[in-house]
């Protein structure tokens, strides 16, 4: 599969805080000017240099003359589900489409689910995004822009409280750009989310989990989805490279700050990984870990062989985990009517 290169356009939102300082310094501008510009871009989300009123006229002219753009993500469409979930459809400068989902939480808060790639290379059998293959990685600016632009369209009185890298793509496969995006998203002068309010979800790229622990102490979610290697090999090809034991060892090494929990996602596939024995094996795997298990009854899409398990099966699976003292919640399916639920993201041919 050929991976298209990132679009070459120059965009200010691709630059880190230091990158902006270096650029402005090369134009003879003082460092505090770069910091002003940085706050306009990421804290306030302003997209027109003419509105950045405290920048000098000469700097604004310089930005225009050098053809710097601000962001390259256009919010094309917002679809709202009957349950309040909003799916944001963005168009990128090269025409590619990505999606981000705002999930309503109590108290006017939203969790935002970000995409990290156009499509995904990991080929998990139960995931719609996986069927698309990988078109390309997103740039850091394209991830940050999803956050900045989403804040524009929120209902009055509400705000985004938590960012999860759980949309299209495997964030740890696009490691450098994801870490660069965290640099702005978690900066108080940038988007202002503390690391505590950010979660990265991964299918299990072990070396990158270790690296992430060293550079950005965000919350970690692991898409486990099976209780033994035999089944995981079948539904998640990544398991052939790093199996369940290797993954759990990496998770045990992850430098989790005190009182925080790891999340394990477990997509429940009828007749594949949903037996009581699976639940009991899962307990054994996770014993002693500060783990929260998120059971996700599989969300269907056309053209697959999987089945959503019956509610009774889901409850029985959960009960075994709870009885053994684990924290286990069943994720309420949200946004199903607008294809915004887990694993349903990606442009449909007819969309
Ligand atoms: N690539 C990352 C993050 C995006 S996938 C990862 O795999 O963790 C987000 C979550 O959706 C994962 O936990 C995945 O297991 C789950 N998922 C994928 N397809 C699904 C489907 N059809 N129904 C329910 N959950 C699904
Ligand atoms: Fe990619 Fe995650 Fe879907 Fe697997 S579950 S194909 S890693 S997006």
């Amino acid at each position: 599969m050929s991976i298209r290169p990132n679009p070459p356009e120059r965009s200010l939102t691709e630059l880190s805080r230091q990158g902006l300082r270096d650029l402005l310094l090369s134009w003879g501008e003082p460092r505090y000017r770069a910091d002003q510009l940085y706050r306009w871009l990421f804290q306030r989300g302003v997209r027109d240099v003419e509105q950045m009123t405290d920048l000098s006229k000469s700097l604004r002219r310089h930005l225009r003359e050098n053809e710097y753009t601000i962001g390259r993500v256009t919010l094309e469409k917002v679809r709202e589900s009957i349950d309040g979930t909003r799916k944001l459809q963005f168009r990128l400068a090269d025409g590619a489409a990505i999606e981000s989902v705002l999930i309503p939480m109590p108290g006017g808060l939203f969790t935002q689910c970000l995409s990290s790639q156009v499509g995904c290379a990991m080929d998990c059998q139960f995931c719609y995004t996986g069927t698309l293959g990988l078109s390309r990685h997103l740039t850091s600016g394209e991830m940050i822009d999803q956050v900045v632009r989403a804040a524009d369209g929120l209902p009055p009185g509400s705000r985004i409280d938590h960012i999860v890298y759980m949309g299209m793509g495997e964030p740890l496969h696009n490691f450098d750009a994801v870490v660069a995006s965290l640099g702005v998203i978690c900066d108080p002068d940038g988007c202002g989310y503390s690391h505590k309010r950010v979660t990265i979800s991964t299918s299990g790229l072990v070396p990158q989990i270790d690296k992430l622990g060293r550079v950005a102490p965000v919350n970690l979610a692991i898409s486990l989805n099976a209780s033994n290697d035999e089944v995981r090999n079948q539904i998640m090809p990544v398991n052939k490279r790093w199996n369940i034991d290797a993954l759990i060892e990496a998770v045990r090494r992850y430098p989790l700050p005190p009182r925080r929990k790891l999340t394990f996602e477990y997509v429940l596939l009828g007749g594949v990984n949903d037996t009581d024995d699976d639940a009991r094996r899962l307990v054994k795997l996770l014993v002693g870990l500060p783990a929260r298990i998120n059971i996700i009854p599989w969300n269907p899409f056309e053209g697959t062989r999987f089945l959503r398990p019956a509610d009774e099966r889901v409850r029985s699976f959960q009960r075994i985990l709870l009885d053994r003292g684990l924290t286990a919640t069943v994720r309420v399916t949200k946004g199903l009517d607008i294809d915004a639920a887990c694993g349903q993201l990606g442009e449909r041919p007819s969309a």
Side-chain angles (χ1 to χ4, degrees), residues 17 38 42 144 147 163 165 178-200 216-219:
R17 192 171 187 159
Y38 182 84
F42 301 116
I144 298 162
V147 177
I163 303 278
Y165 286 71
V178 164
V179 168
S181 72
L182 291 173
V184 172
I185 289 172
C186 299
D187 183 346
D189 286 338
C191 300
Y193 292 87
S194 72
H195 286 112
K196 271 191 286 203
R197 292 160 67 202
V198 176
T199 300
I200 291 209
V218 292
N219 298 298

PDB file of all heavy atoms in Angstrom, residues 17 38 42 144 147 163 165 178-200 216-219:
ATOM      1  N   ARG A  17       5.754  25.520  19.945  1.00  0.00           N
ATOM      2  CA  ARG A  17       6.006  26.846  20.503  1.00  0.00           C
ATOM      3  C   ARG A  17       7.423  27.303  20.166  1.00  0.00           C
ATOM      4  O   ARG A  17       7.644  28.437  19.748  1.00  0.00           O
ATOM      5  CB  ARG A  17       5.831  26.741  22.022  1.00  0.00           C
ATOM      6  CG  ARG A  17       5.785  28.052  22.689  1.00  0.00           C
ATOM      7  CD  ARG A  17       5.393  27.854  24.123  1.00  0.00           C
ATOM      8  NE  ARG A  17       5.188  29.130  24.732  1.00  0.00           N
ATOM      9  CZ  ARG A  17       4.473  29.306  25.826  1.00  0.00           C
ATOM     10  NH1 ARG A  17       3.887  28.291  26.408  1.00  0.00           N
ATOM     11  NH2 ARG A  17       4.339  30.498  26.346  1.00  0.00           N
ATOM     12  N   TYR A  38       1.287  32.374  19.434  1.00  0.00           N
ATOM     13  CA  TYR A  38       0.965  31.008  19.876  1.00  0.00           C
ATOM     14  C   TYR A  38      -0.372  30.980  20.618  1.00  0.00           C
ATOM     15  O   TYR A  38      -1.228  30.141  20.368  1.00  0.00           O
ATOM     16  CB  TYR A  38       2.108  30.542  20.777  1.00  0.00           C
ATOM     17  CG  TYR A  38       2.008  29.143  21.311  1.00  0.00           C
ATOM     18  CD1 TYR A  38       2.432  28.052  20.553  1.00  0.00           C
ATOM     19  CD2 TYR A  38       1.523  28.904  22.604  1.00  0.00           C
ATOM     20  CE1 TYR A  38       2.368  26.768  21.056  1.00  0.00           C
ATOM     21  CE2 TYR A  38       1.466  27.622  23.112  1.00  0.00           C
ATOM     22  CZ  TYR A  38       1.887  26.553  22.336  1.00  0.00           C
ATOM     23  OH  TYR A  38       1.822  25.281  22.851  1.00  0.00           O
ATOM     24  N   PHE A  42      -3.744  28.870  19.464  1.00  0.00           N
ATOM     25  CA  PHE A  42      -4.187  27.646  20.129  1.00  0.00           C
ATOM     26  C   PHE A  42      -5.091  27.871  21.342  1.00  0.00           C
ATOM     27  O   PHE A  42      -5.946  27.054  21.644  1.00  0.00           O
ATOM     28  CB  PHE A  42      -2.975  26.797  20.540  1.00  0.00           C
ATOM     29  CG  PHE A  42      -2.117  26.429  19.353  1.00  0.00           C
ATOM     30  CD1 PHE A  42      -0.816  26.882  19.254  1.00  0.00           C
ATOM     31  CD2 PHE A  42      -2.634  25.646  18.334  1.00  0.00           C
ATOM     32  CE1 PHE A  42      -0.028  26.545  18.155  1.00  0.00           C
ATOM     33  CE2 PHE A  42      -1.859  25.304  17.236  1.00  0.00           C
ATOM     34  CZ  PHE A  42      -0.552  25.760  17.152  1.00  0.00           C
ATOM     35  N   ILE A 144      -4.356  18.864  16.355  1.00  0.00           N
ATOM     36  CA  ILE A 144      -4.656  20.010  17.224  1.00  0.00           C
ATOM     37  C   ILE A 144      -5.871  20.764  16.694  1.00  0.00           C
ATOM     38  O   ILE A 144      -6.750  21.188  17.457  1.00  0.00           O
ATOM     39  CB  ILE A 144      -3.438  20.966  17.279  1.00  0.00           C
ATOM     40  CG1 ILE A 144      -2.222  20.260  17.874  1.00  0.00           C
ATOM     41  CG2 ILE A 144      -3.781  22.217  18.080  1.00  0.00           C
ATOM     42  CD1 ILE A 144      -0.913  20.951  17.561  1.00  0.00           C
ATOM     43  N   VAL A 147      -9.225  19.742  17.833  1.00  0.00           N
ATOM     44  CA  VAL A 147      -9.562  20.229  19.170  1.00  0.00           C
ATOM     45  C   VAL A 147      -9.992  21.700  19.117  1.00  0.00           C
ATOM     46  O   VAL A 147     -11.021  22.087  19.660  1.00  0.00           O
ATOM     47  CB  VAL A 147      -8.350  20.077  20.134  1.00  0.00           C
ATOM     48  CG1 VAL A 147      -8.667  20.640  21.510  1.00  0.00           C
ATOM     49  CG2 VAL A 147      -7.940  18.619  20.231  1.00  0.00           C
ATOM     50  N   ILE A 163      -9.911  14.592  26.335  1.00  0.00           N
ATOM     51  CA  ILE A 163      -9.547  14.302  24.950  1.00  0.00           C
ATOM     52  C   ILE A 163      -9.083  12.852  24.885  1.00  0.00           C
ATOM     53  O   ILE A 163      -8.206  12.445  25.661  1.00  0.00           O
ATOM     54  CB  ILE A 163      -8.344  15.184  24.510  1.00  0.00           C
ATOM     55  CG1 ILE A 163      -8.650  16.671  24.674  1.00  0.00           C
ATOM     56  CG2 ILE A 163      -7.901  14.844  23.093  1.00  0.00           C
ATOM     57  CD1 ILE A 163      -9.427  17.287  23.575  1.00  0.00           C
ATOM     58  N   TYR A 165      -7.588   9.912  22.198  1.00  0.00           N
ATOM     59  CA  TYR A 165      -7.128   9.570  20.844  1.00  0.00           C
ATOM     60  C   TYR A 165      -7.699   8.193  20.532  1.00  0.00           C
ATOM     61  O   TYR A 165      -7.028   7.172  20.658  1.00  0.00           O
ATOM     62  CB  TYR A 165      -5.596   9.551  20.778  1.00  0.00           C
ATOM     63  CG  TYR A 165      -4.947  10.914  20.791  1.00  0.00           C
ATOM     64  CD1 TYR A 165      -4.936  11.700  21.932  1.00  0.00           C
ATOM     65  CD2 TYR A 165      -4.311  11.419  19.651  1.00  0.00           C
ATOM     66  CE1 TYR A 165      -4.324  12.950  21.941  1.00  0.00           C
ATOM     67  CE2 TYR A 165      -3.692  12.655  19.654  1.00  0.00           C
ATOM     68  CZ  TYR A 165      -3.704  13.413  20.794  1.00  0.00           C
ATOM     69  OH  TYR A 165      -3.089  14.645  20.801  1.00  0.00           O
ATOM     70  N   VAL A 178       1.854  12.602  17.027  1.00  0.00           N
ATOM     71  CA  VAL A 178       0.957  12.565  18.185  1.00  0.00           C
ATOM     72  C   VAL A 178       1.624  13.248  19.385  1.00  0.00           C
ATOM     73  O   VAL A 178       1.017  14.072  20.067  1.00  0.00           O
ATOM     74  CB  VAL A 178       0.530  11.111  18.518  1.00  0.00           C
ATOM     75  CG1 VAL A 178      -0.066  11.008  19.920  1.00  0.00           C
ATOM     76  CG2 VAL A 178      -0.476  10.614  17.481  1.00  0.00           C
ATOM     77  N   VAL A 179       2.886  12.945  19.615  1.00  0.00           N
ATOM     78  CA  VAL A 179       3.588  13.569  20.741  1.00  0.00           C
ATOM     79  C   VAL A 179       3.696  15.090  20.518  1.00  0.00           C
ATOM     80  O   VAL A 179       3.496  15.883  21.440  1.00  0.00           O
ATOM     81  CB  VAL A 179       4.969  12.914  20.973  1.00  0.00           C
ATOM     82  CG1 VAL A 179       5.824  13.726  21.930  1.00  0.00           C
ATOM     83  CG2 VAL A 179       4.773  11.501  21.518  1.00  0.00           C
ATOM     84  N   ALA A 180       3.949  15.491  19.273  1.00  0.00           N
ATOM     85  CA  ALA A 180       4.002  16.939  18.981  1.00  0.00           C
ATOM     86  C   ALA A 180       2.633  17.573  19.247  1.00  0.00           C
ATOM     87  O   ALA A 180       2.550  18.674  19.799  1.00  0.00           O
ATOM     88  CB  ALA A 180       4.425  17.172  17.530  1.00  0.00           C
ATOM     89  N   SER A 181       1.563  16.885  18.897  1.00  0.00           N
ATOM     90  CA  SER A 181       0.225  17.455  19.140  1.00  0.00           C
ATOM     91  C   SER A 181      -0.035  17.561  20.648  1.00  0.00           C
ATOM     92  O   SER A 181      -0.623  18.537  21.112  1.00  0.00           O
ATOM     93  CB  SER A 181      -0.869  16.624  18.452  1.00  0.00           C
ATOM     94  OG  SER A 181      -1.076  15.387  19.095  1.00  0.00           O
ATOM     95  N   LEU A 182       0.458  16.585  21.421  1.00  0.00           N
ATOM     96  CA  LEU A 182       0.290  16.654  22.878  1.00  0.00           C
ATOM     97  C   LEU A 182       1.016  17.870  23.452  1.00  0.00           C
ATOM     98  O   LEU A 182       0.555  18.484  24.418  1.00  0.00           O
ATOM     99  CB  LEU A 182       0.832  15.385  23.552  1.00  0.00           C
ATOM    100  CG  LEU A 182       0.060  14.085  23.306  1.00  0.00           C
ATOM    101  CD1 LEU A 182       0.816  12.904  23.902  1.00  0.00           C
ATOM    102  CD2 LEU A 182      -1.343  14.169  23.896  1.00  0.00           C
ATOM    103  N   GLY A 183       2.142  18.215  22.828  1.00  0.00           N
ATOM    104  CA  GLY A 183       2.917  19.368  23.284  1.00  0.00           C
ATOM    105  C   GLY A 183       2.074  20.639  23.293  1.00  0.00           C
ATOM    106  O   GLY A 183       2.219  21.490  24.178  1.00  0.00           O
ATOM    107  N   VAL A 184       1.184  20.785  22.336  1.00  0.00           N
ATOM    108  CA  VAL A 184       0.318  21.974  22.269  1.00  0.00           C
ATOM    109  C   VAL A 184      -0.986  21.750  23.042  1.00  0.00           C
ATOM    110  O   VAL A 184      -1.442  22.618  23.784  1.00  0.00           O
ATOM    111  CB  VAL A 184       0.017  22.329  20.791  1.00  0.00           C
ATOM    112  CG1 VAL A 184      -1.021  23.431  20.699  1.00  0.00           C
ATOM    113  CG2 VAL A 184       1.294  22.738  20.068  1.00  0.00           C
ATOM    114  N   ILE A 185      -1.566  20.561  22.880  1.00  0.00           N
ATOM    115  CA  ILE A 185      -2.865  20.294  23.525  1.00  0.00           C
ATOM    116  C   ILE A 185      -2.723  20.355  25.056  1.00  0.00           C
ATOM    117  O   ILE A 185      -3.610  20.834  25.755  1.00  0.00           O
ATOM    118  CB  ILE A 185      -3.431  18.933  23.048  1.00  0.00           C
ATOM    119  CG1 ILE A 185      -3.882  19.048  21.577  1.00  0.00           C
ATOM    120  CG2 ILE A 185      -4.593  18.462  23.926  1.00  0.00           C
ATOM    121  CD1 ILE A 185      -4.283  17.744  20.904  1.00  0.00           C
ATOM    122  N   CYS A 186      -1.561  19.897  25.568  1.00  0.00           N
ATOM    123  CA  CYS A 186      -1.372  19.858  27.022  1.00  0.00           C
ATOM    124  C   CYS A 186      -0.623  21.081  27.567  1.00  0.00           C
ATOM    125  O   CYS A 186      -0.258  21.103  28.741  1.00  0.00           O
ATOM    126  CB  CYS A 186      -0.636  18.581  27.434  1.00  0.00           C
ATOM    127  SG  CYS A 186      -1.528  17.082  26.999  1.00  0.00           S
ATOM    128  N   ASP A 187      -0.390  22.077  26.746  1.00  0.00           N
ATOM    129  CA  ASP A 187       0.322  23.267  27.198  1.00  0.00           C
ATOM    130  C   ASP A 187      -0.708  24.279  27.728  1.00  0.00           C
ATOM    131  O   ASP A 187      -1.675  24.588  27.029  1.00  0.00           O
ATOM    132  CB  ASP A 187       1.078  23.847  25.993  1.00  0.00           C
ATOM    133  CG  ASP A 187       1.915  25.064  26.357  1.00  0.00           C
ATOM    134  OD1 ASP A 187       1.714  25.627  27.458  1.00  0.00           O
ATOM    135  OD2 ASP A 187       2.757  25.454  25.536  1.00  0.00           O
ATOM    136  N   PRO A 188      -0.513  24.795  28.963  1.00  0.00           N
ATOM    137  CA  PRO A 188      -1.465  25.776  29.498  1.00  0.00           C
ATOM    138  C   PRO A 188      -1.643  26.995  28.582  1.00  0.00           C
ATOM    139  O   PRO A 188      -2.731  27.559  28.524  1.00  0.00           O
ATOM    140  CB  PRO A 188      -0.846  26.197  30.836  1.00  0.00           C
ATOM    141  CG  PRO A 188       0.129  25.130  31.181  1.00  0.00           C
ATOM    142  CD  PRO A 188       0.564  24.479  29.911  1.00  0.00           C
ATOM    143  N   ASP A 189      -0.610  27.383  27.852  1.00  0.00           N
ATOM    144  CA  ASP A 189      -0.754  28.494  26.902  1.00  0.00           C
ATOM    145  C   ASP A 189      -1.269  28.034  25.543  1.00  0.00           C
ATOM    146  O   ASP A 189      -1.502  28.848  24.654  1.00  0.00           O
ATOM    147  CB  ASP A 189       0.591  29.205  26.687  1.00  0.00           C
ATOM    148  CG  ASP A 189       0.962  30.046  27.890  1.00  0.00           C
ATOM    149  OD1 ASP A 189       0.057  30.417  28.656  1.00  0.00           O
ATOM    150  OD2 ASP A 189       2.169  30.324  28.058  1.00  0.00           O
ATOM    151  N   GLY A 190      -1.381  26.717  25.375  1.00  0.00           N
ATOM    152  CA  GLY A 190      -1.933  26.179  24.132  1.00  0.00           C
ATOM    153  C   GLY A 190      -3.402  25.848  24.353  1.00  0.00           C
ATOM    154  O   GLY A 190      -4.186  26.694  24.770  1.00  0.00           O
ATOM    155  N   CYS A 191      -3.779  24.583  24.123  1.00  0.00           N
ATOM    156  CA  CYS A 191      -5.192  24.222  24.312  1.00  0.00           C
ATOM    157  C   CYS A 191      -5.540  24.059  25.794  1.00  0.00           C
ATOM    158  O   CYS A 191      -6.724  24.081  26.161  1.00  0.00           O
ATOM    159  CB  CYS A 191      -5.517  22.936  23.560  1.00  0.00           C
ATOM    160  SG  CYS A 191      -5.222  23.058  21.783  1.00  0.00           S
ATOM    161  N   GLY A 192      -4.518  23.839  26.638  1.00  0.00           N
ATOM    162  CA  GLY A 192      -4.744  23.896  28.079  1.00  0.00           C
ATOM    163  C   GLY A 192      -5.333  22.648  28.739  1.00  0.00           C
ATOM    164  O   GLY A 192      -5.927  22.745  29.807  1.00  0.00           O
ATOM    165  N   TYR A 193      -5.167  21.490  28.130  1.00  0.00           N
ATOM    166  CA  TYR A 193      -5.628  20.259  28.789  1.00  0.00           C
ATOM    167  C   TYR A 193      -4.459  19.644  29.550  1.00  0.00           C
ATOM    168  O   TYR A 193      -3.401  19.429  28.957  1.00  0.00           O
ATOM    169  CB  TYR A 193      -6.121  19.237  27.755  1.00  0.00           C
ATOM    170  CG  TYR A 193      -7.390  19.668  27.066  1.00  0.00           C
ATOM    171  CD1 TYR A 193      -7.364  20.459  25.924  1.00  0.00           C
ATOM    172  CD2 TYR A 193      -8.626  19.298  27.581  1.00  0.00           C
ATOM    173  CE1 TYR A 193      -8.527  20.872  25.311  1.00  0.00           C
ATOM    174  CE2 TYR A 193      -9.800  19.713  26.974  1.00  0.00           C
ATOM    175  CZ  TYR A 193      -9.739  20.502  25.842  1.00  0.00           C
ATOM    176  OH  TYR A 193     -10.898  20.915  25.251  1.00  0.00           O
ATOM    177  N   SER A 194      -4.654  19.341  30.841  1.00  0.00           N
ATOM    178  CA  SER A 194      -3.560  18.694  31.554  1.00  0.00           C
ATOM    179  C   SER A 194      -3.444  17.247  31.061  1.00  0.00           C
ATOM    180  O   SER A 194      -4.397  16.705  30.501  1.00  0.00           O
ATOM    181  CB  SER A 194      -3.809  18.729  33.057  1.00  0.00           C
ATOM    182  OG  SER A 194      -4.853  17.825  33.371  1.00  0.00           O
ATOM    183  N   HIS A 195      -2.284  16.653  31.281  1.00  0.00           N
ATOM    184  CA  HIS A 195      -2.082  15.256  30.848  1.00  0.00           C
ATOM    185  C   HIS A 195      -3.131  14.322  31.429  1.00  0.00           C
ATOM    186  O   HIS A 195      -3.486  13.318  30.842  1.00  0.00           O
ATOM    187  CB  HIS A 195      -0.681  14.771  31.265  1.00  0.00           C
ATOM    188  CG  HIS A 195       0.406  15.349  30.434  1.00  0.00           C
ATOM    189  ND1 HIS A 195       1.322  16.233  30.931  1.00  0.00           N
ATOM    190  CD2 HIS A 195       0.699  15.206  29.120  1.00  0.00           C
ATOM    191  CE1 HIS A 195       2.159  16.596  29.957  1.00  0.00           C
ATOM    192  NE2 HIS A 195       1.794  15.983  28.856  1.00  0.00           N
ATOM    193  N   LYS A 196      -3.630  14.690  32.619  1.00  0.00           N
ATOM    194  CA  LYS A 196      -4.650  13.858  33.281  1.00  0.00           C
ATOM    195  C   LYS A 196      -5.929  13.756  32.470  1.00  0.00           C
ATOM    196  O   LYS A 196      -6.717  12.851  32.626  1.00  0.00           O
ATOM    197  CB  LYS A 196      -5.033  14.501  34.623  1.00  0.00           C
ATOM    198  CG  LYS A 196      -4.196  14.060  35.779  1.00  0.00           C
ATOM    199  CD  LYS A 196      -4.814  14.546  37.084  1.00  0.00           C
ATOM    200  CE  LYS A 196      -4.590  16.029  37.246  1.00  0.00           C
ATOM    201  NZ  LYS A 196      -4.636  16.584  38.553  1.00  0.00           N
ATOM    202  N   ARG A 197      -6.155  14.769  31.630  1.00  0.00           N
ATOM    203  CA  ARG A 197      -7.422  14.819  30.878  1.00  0.00           C
ATOM    204  C   ARG A 197      -7.256  14.337  29.441  1.00  0.00           C
ATOM    205  O   ARG A 197      -8.107  14.579  28.594  1.00  0.00           O
ATOM    206  CB  ARG A 197      -7.975  16.249  30.914  1.00  0.00           C
ATOM    207  CG  ARG A 197      -8.427  16.628  32.331  1.00  0.00           C
ATOM    208  CD  ARG A 197      -8.511  18.115  32.500  1.00  0.00           C
ATOM    209  NE  ARG A 197      -9.561  18.695  31.687  1.00  0.00           N
ATOM    210  CZ  ARG A 197      -9.587  19.983  31.312  1.00  0.00           C
ATOM    211  NH1 ARG A 197      -8.601  20.788  31.663  1.00  0.00           N
ATOM    212  NH2 ARG A 197     -10.570  20.440  30.590  1.00  0.00           N
ATOM    213  N   VAL A 198      -6.144  13.646  29.195  1.00  0.00           N
ATOM    214  CA  VAL A 198      -5.901  13.127  27.846  1.00  0.00           C
ATOM    215  C   VAL A 198      -5.625  11.627  27.933  1.00  0.00           C
ATOM    216  O   VAL A 198      -4.903  11.173  28.824  1.00  0.00           O
ATOM    217  CB  VAL A 198      -4.691  13.851  27.200  1.00  0.00           C
ATOM    218  CG1 VAL A 198      -4.370  13.245  25.844  1.00  0.00           C
ATOM    219  CG2 VAL A 198      -4.960  15.349  27.065  1.00  0.00           C
ATOM    220  N   THR A 199      -6.210  10.866  27.016  1.00  0.00           N
ATOM    221  CA  THR A 199      -6.003   9.416  26.979  1.00  0.00           C
ATOM    222  C   THR A 199      -5.614   8.992  25.567  1.00  0.00           C
ATOM    223  O   THR A 199      -6.229   9.423  24.595  1.00  0.00           O
ATOM    224  CB  THR A 199      -7.304   8.675  27.381  1.00  0.00           C
ATOM    225  OG1 THR A 199      -7.660   9.062  28.699  1.00  0.00           O
ATOM    226  CG2 THR A 199      -7.118   7.164  27.334  1.00  0.00           C
ATOM    227  N   ILE A 200      -4.591   8.156  25.507  1.00  0.00           N
ATOM    228  CA  ILE A 200      -4.223   7.568  24.213  1.00  0.00           C
ATOM    229  C   ILE A 200      -4.615   6.104  24.218  1.00  0.00           C
ATOM    230  O   ILE A 200      -4.287   5.364  25.151  1.00  0.00           O
ATOM    231  CB  ILE A 200      -2.712   7.737  23.962  1.00  0.00           C
ATOM    232  CG1 ILE A 200      -2.461   9.224  23.737  1.00  0.00           C
ATOM    233  CG2 ILE A 200      -2.249   6.864  22.790  1.00  0.00           C
ATOM    234  CD1 ILE A 200      -1.334   9.600  22.883  1.00  0.00           C
ATOM    235  N   ALA A 216       5.516  11.541  27.597  1.00  0.00           N
ATOM    236  CA  ALA A 216       4.251  12.247  27.857  1.00  0.00           C
ATOM    237  C   ALA A 216       3.344  11.394  28.742  1.00  0.00           C
ATOM    238  O   ALA A 216       2.758  10.427  28.281  1.00  0.00           O
ATOM    239  CB  ALA A 216       3.541  12.558  26.529  1.00  0.00           C
ATOM    240  N   PRO A 217       3.254  11.744  30.012  1.00  0.00           N
ATOM    241  CA  PRO A 217       2.536  10.874  30.966  1.00  0.00           C
ATOM    242  C   PRO A 217       1.012  10.988  30.869  1.00  0.00           C
ATOM    243  O   PRO A 217       0.339  11.365  31.817  1.00  0.00           O
ATOM    244  CB  PRO A 217       3.032  11.383  32.320  1.00  0.00           C
ATOM    245  CG  PRO A 217       3.312  12.835  32.076  1.00  0.00           C
ATOM    246  CD  PRO A 217       3.761  12.963  30.645  1.00  0.00           C
ATOM    247  N   VAL A 218       0.465  10.671  29.701  1.00  0.00           N
ATOM    248  CA  VAL A 218      -0.988  10.722  29.542  1.00  0.00           C
ATOM    249  C   VAL A 218      -1.593   9.392  29.996  1.00  0.00           C
ATOM    250  O   VAL A 218      -0.879   8.425  30.259  1.00  0.00           O
ATOM    251  CB  VAL A 218      -1.378  10.991  28.063  1.00  0.00           C
ATOM    252  CG1 VAL A 218      -0.984  12.391  27.641  1.00  0.00           C
ATOM    253  CG2 VAL A 218      -0.765   9.948  27.142  1.00  0.00           C
ATOM    254  N   ASN A 219      -2.904   9.362  30.091  1.00  0.00           N
ATOM    255  CA  ASN A 219      -3.573   8.102  30.427  1.00  0.00           C
ATOM    256  C   ASN A 219      -3.473   7.148  29.243  1.00  0.00           C
ATOM    257  O   ASN A 219      -3.415   7.568  28.095  1.00  0.00           O
ATOM    258  CB  ASN A 219      -5.053   8.358  30.713  1.00  0.00           C
ATOM    259  CG  ASN A 219      -5.237   9.274  31.894  1.00  0.00           C
ATOM    260  OD1 ASN A 219      -4.849   8.954  33.004  1.00  0.00           O
ATOM    261  ND2 ASN A 219      -5.807  10.439  31.652  1.00  0.00           N
TER     262      ASN A 219
END
